[in-house]
Amino acid sequence: MKGRTLVLQHAVEFVEHRLAPAYPVRDGKQTPMRGHPVFIAQHATATCCRGCLEKWHGVPRGRPLTPSEQRYVVDVIDRWLRRQDPAAPETGEPTLFD
Ligand SMILES: [Zn+2]
């Protein structure tokens, strides 16, 4: 099982590469519906694309996310994941497939 730290590390990377640019690649379709717990969390919390971020979180499109906005998004994802799986370990051994 993946520990929370590793999953959140992925969240940080996804947010940085897929959401933070002013004009993300394939914005609106950049977050798959499955394949990683963070993707599921992003759809559940409306942090999946810049359109949802603008509509539900009041973060305007067309400019890069600031570092504090990126932390905010990761935090929203983290809170949702904790509610789903309160028993998840804080850290875990990475598996072959991580
Ligand atoms: Zn969206």
Side-chain angles (χ1 to χ4, degrees):
M1 154 169 256
K2 289 178 187 172
R4 217 185 280 289
T5 309
L6 185 65
V7 170
L8 278 186
Q9 181 55 43
H10 293 160
V12 167
E13 288 164 14
F14 294 152
V15 169
E16 183 181 347
H17 295 294
R18 296 169 186 256
L19 272 189
Y23 298 98
V25 177
R26 299 179 72 234
D27 196 23
K29 298 190 175 69
Q30 71 268 61
T31 304
M33 294 303 291
R34 68 185 86 191
H36 195 286
V38 168
F39 297 153
I40 316 291
Q42 286 183 270
H43 286 288
T45 57
T47 59
C48 48
C49 66
R50 294 300 295 266
C52 292
L53 269 184
E54 182 173 79
K55 184 169 179 196
W56 299 100
H57 297 274
V59 178
R61 275 189 258 203
R63 62 154 174 79
L65 295 183
T66 66
S68 78
E69 285 166 345
Q70 294 184 46
R71 272 196 303 277
Y72 163 81
V73 171
V74 171
D75 215 56
V76 167
I77 293 167
D78 183 30
R79 281 203 302 271
W80 188 87
L81 288 169
R82 282 172 188 274
R83 278 206 306 278
Q84 301 308 303
D85 192 3
E90 289 300 316
T91 58
E93 292 297 308
T95 73
L96 199 56
F97 302 104
D98 279 339

